[in-house]
Structure formats: C-alpha cells, structure tokens
Amino acid sequence: MTTFTSNLANEIAPVLRGLTFDGQKGLFVHQTSDKQPSLLLPAVREGDSVEEACALWKRLLSAYTDERQLYPAVIGIDGLSVQYGLGTNYDEAARAEGVSALPTLAPSESRSDVVRDKIALVTGGAQGFGEGMVRSLVEMGAFVYIADMNAEGAKKLADELNYEACITVAKPLAVNVTDETSVAQMMDEVARQTGSMDLFISNAGVLRAGSVKSMQLKDFQFVTNVDYTGFFICTKFASRQMALQNLPSLSYYTDIIAISSKSGLQGSNKNGAYAGAKFGTIGLTQSFALELVEDNIKVNAICPGNFLDGPLWSDPEKGLFVQYLNAGKVPGAKTVADVRRFYESKVPMNRGCRTADVMKAILYIVEQTYETGQAVPVTGGQVMLN
C-alpha cells in the first residue's frame, strides 16, 4: 500500500495526471483559461492511502464527466490546484461550452508520433547531443524540459524554441545531477508545472581521458559522479513520480533512458574513467529495469558511437580532434581532417553517430512496451553484440 507523505502537493500532481490518463486514455497538456471547468476533490492527508484516494477520485471524476460530458481542466484539492488541458473525447462539448479545446489527435502515422503530446525531460539538454535531442523531440510534438547546469544556455534554447513555435514547447530547469537536493527540486518543479512526465532522458555526462598510471583521483571521481552516480540520483527521483502516475490505471507506461556509450560495451584505451562509468550505467539500467517494471517504468540505455560533429570532438580549440592531433595520438596525422578520417575509418558505415540515429533508438524504446533493461547500440557497426 502506497501512502502520501508530507510532500503532498508534488505527490498529488503525478497521481492526478495518471488519473486523467486512466479516465480518457490520452495525455493532457497544460492550458490556462478562466472559462475552464473545475472539479473539487476531497483532500488527503499524510499517511492516507494513494490507492484509496485514486478509487474515490475515479468515481467522482466519472460522475462529473457523465453529467457534463466535459473533462475538468482544473482539478482542485482543498487549495491545491493542478491544471490540465481538455480531453480529446470532449472536444465538441467543450466548443459548445465556449472553451478552447485541444485538437483531436490523428491516428499514428509515423514512429515519431509516439512522443507527440508527451512530456519529456533531457538532462544536459542545453548543448551538444542533448540539445539535438531536445530540438528533435520538440519537432516531433513533445513538450520538453531542458535540464542543465548551464541555466543560461537552457533558457536561451527554450526561448528560441518557444519563439519559433509561437507557444510554450520547452522550459528550462537548472540542475546539478550529482546533487540530490538539486535533482529533487527539479522534479518538484516538474510536478508543479505538468503533474509529471512520460520520458526522462539521462544524458548529462562528462569525459576526462587519461592513463590509469597518471590520472588524478579527482578527475576519475568527477567522471564517475556525473556519468554514473548522476544516473542513479536522477532515476531515484524520477521513478518516484512515474510510479505515482501509474497507480490510478496500472497501465501507464513511462520511460527512463540512459545515454550510455559504445564505451559502455567495450573498453576504451586511456579512457577508463569514462568507460567504467558507462559500463556501470548499463548495470544500473538492468537492475532498475527489474525493480521498476512493476510500476510500468521501462528503463533502457542507448550506446551511441562517437558524435564526431559535436563540440566534444569538433570544437576548433578544445575538441578531441585537435587534442589528438597535438598529442600525436594518430600516427601520421598532419591535420584535423586526418584525425577525423582515422576515426571515421573505424566505423563500418564510415561516419560518426548523429542525433537522428539516436532519436530512432529513443522512438523504438518508447514505442516498444515489451522490452526493458536493454543496452541498444547505435554505433554504425563499430560495436556488434554477441
């Protein structure tokens, strides 16, 4: 039996979002209007059963919608208020009431529709690979939280995407994934803004290469804290919300996806801290998947190959191409182009990994409801699983 704790407001929000899913078999988006109908539900107290509250709320919600044929956009609980858009099944009634309704969703026509109108969060989303995923998800119709230590960069990206869309399609969140308080505050803000979410992408990561003979412990721990421990902390707080969201229907599938690496599938020369953290992330993925399956939370990892077009590799001053050229790591290389060709030649498909390649794996994971605990390689054939 699950009970509410002292963090009532932020626990009620995901439960109510799950309740709307159960009632309408559809997702809901925030939409504020004075004309929107409201429904007041009984308050709950710390220690009350979530399951019993759900059963009572279901009955009241059903009676309300049967009578009015209109889904309440604002649900209040003794001063606590959670706002949702109108259910697509009630569009005509909503128009008759003079309320602006959400458009009816067309049948799925492409794989990208599996994230349309869903709520996603991407850590490390302000730049590089993360920015590419944020942009792609928005283009596919998702609402996206851009979570990053670089708060200014996250806000700049969100402002750009919202300006281009002429509506709010993204919101920035400042977070340090290595700090439990910071991650907890991030998830509390998600609960306040949208009730919860459907897709959490743990992408924040760092890389410090170096020989095991000379690498400083602080550098090793820095990589481990962000790439490995950060995934644990994020999953800890994200899964709590997602589990509450599932309780009303017991059929609300959500996804946590770790962006690992091909270095999580095979060792990496003089890059042991990074490879070790990524290997460890896959171990966590499999373990969390076994535990969270009871909450309909799928946990998977994606293992991309080298993102050669991203700033980690291609930055003209600090990128790995420049570093490897200066360090003489690639025998005979005289230019950055020589170094790039060397690394491209290691890939059977003769190019680096791109955002679009990873997005296809993300869409597959979300669409596939009969798989969890997997590490999906996206390496152009550079790493092949047994």
Side-chain angles (χ1 to χ4, degrees):
M1 188 72 73
T2 308
T3 58
F4 289 104
T5 70
S6 57
N7 194 23
L8 273 172
N10 292 331
E11 291 179 343
I12 288 171
V15 172
L16 287 180
R17 186 161 190 263
L19 185 67
T20 63
F21 170 83
D22 185 48
Q24 301 303 311
K25 304 301 180 189
L27 301 178
F28 294 82
V29 180
H30 273 255
Q31 194 177 49
T32 304
S33 167
D34 292 338
K35 294 182 179 180
Q36 290 180 329
S38 62
L39 170 66
L40 187 67
L41 298 176
V44 295
R45 299 163 299 178
E46 181 179 352
D48 283 354
S49 165
V50 176
E51 288 83 354
E52 290 174 353
C54 284
L56 174 59
W57 292 344
K58 280 184 188 180
R59 291 196 298 272
L60 294 174
L61 180 62
S62 178
Y64 180 97
T65 54
D66 286 346
E67 176 184 352
R68 297 194 58 179
Q69 290 298 298
L70 187 64
Y71 191 85
V74 179
I75 301 176
I77 303 183
D78 273 18
L80 300 175
S81 179
V82 180
Q83 298 183 9
Y84 296 95
L86 297 174
T88 56
N89 291 348
Y90 290 84
D91 277 354
E92 292 304 321
R95 293 190 187 99
E97 292 273 338
V99 179
S100 176
L102 294 177
T104 301
L105 299 182
S108 180
E109 297 178 354
S110 68
R111 173 162 284 173
S112 64
D113 286 337
V114 302
V115 296
R116 185 172 302 279
D117 295 321
K118 291 198 172 184
I119 296 170
L121 186 153
V122 181
T123 65
Q127 60 276 313
F129 225 165
E131 178 184 347
M133 287 186 282
V134 167
R135 290 183 179 276
S136 296
L137 286 166
V138 167
E139 288 173 5
M140 293 172 184
F143 176 92
V144 186
Y145 287 106
I146 307 168
D148 207 294
M149 279 192 73
N150 179 8
E152 183 178 343
K155 182 180 184 304
K156 180 180 179 181
L157 177 57
D159 288 346
E160 176 187 339
L161 294 171
N162 294 334
Y163 177 81
E164 291 174 352
C166 297
I167 57 172
T168 302
V169 294
K171 286 193 174 183
L173 293 172
V175 68
N176 176 357
V177 299
T178 69
D179 181 76
E180 281 198 314
T181 300
S182 178
V183 175
Q185 289 173 345
M186 173 184 73
M187 293 309 305
D188 285 347
E189 186 62 23
V190 169
R192 285 191 289 271
Q193 293 284 343
T194 51
S196 190
M197 65 194 161
D198 310 290
L199 171 61
F200 188 104
I201 300 178
S202 182
N203 168 71
V206 295
L207 187 153
R208 294 276 175 89
S211 167
V212 66
K213 299 175 183 176
S214 57
M215 181 175 239
Q216 297 293 313
L217 178 60
K218 63 179 178 64
D219 292 330
F220 181 90
Q221 291 175 330
F222 172 65
V223 175
T224 303
N225 286 342
V226 176
D227 297 5
Y228 177 75
T229 307
F231 176 53
F232 157 72
I233 295 174
C234 286
T235 301
K236 174 180 179 177
F237 290 97
S239 64
R240 291 177 179 178
Q241 265 190 26
M242 290 174 163
L244 288 170
Q245 191 172 237
N246 176 62
L247 280 176
S249 69
L250 301 179
S251 60
Y252 198 136
Y253 285 93
T254 50
D255 289 274
I256 295 174
I257 299 176
I259 303 300
S260 182
S261 167
K262 71 177 180 61
S263 296
L265 299 173
Q266 66 178 20
S268 183
N269 184 28
K270 295 184 179 180
N271 198 18
Y274 182 75
K278 294 301 185 180
F279 264 86
T281 295
I282 293 174
L284 293 180
T285 295
Q286 294 179 1
S287 301
F288 297 159
L290 291 171
E291 176 184 355
L292 299 177
V293 67
E294 67 181 16
D295 300 308
N296 285 325
I297 302 170
K298 296 177 288 158
V299 187
N300 292 281
I302 294 174
C303 302
N306 294 329
F307 187 38
L308 299 181
D309 294 322
L312 174 66
W313 284 84
S314 294
D315 185 274
E317 296 180 2
K318 300 179 180 179
L320 292 178
F321 288 140
V322 173
Q323 292 184 43
Y324 290 165
L325 176 65
N326 295 336
K329 186 171 181 177
V330 179
K334 297 181 179 179
T335 65
V336 165
D338 293 336
V339 178
R340 183 183 182 108
R341 281 192 292 270
F342 174 81
Y343 281 95
E344 288 175 336
S345 70
K346 292 177 174 290
V347 183
M349 290 190 172
N350 294 308
R351 66 170 176 83
C353 186
R354 298 170 183 164
T355 302
D357 303 319
V358 172
M359 287 307 305
K360 290 175 184 175
I362 290 173
L363 296 177
Y364 164 76
I365 288 171
V366 173
E367 183 180 42
Q368 173 60 278
T369 57
Y370 188 64
E371 201 61 82
T372 191
Q374 301 303 314
V376 181
V378 186
T379 68
Q382 189 172 2
V383 177
M384 299 182 183
L385 302 182
N386 295 326

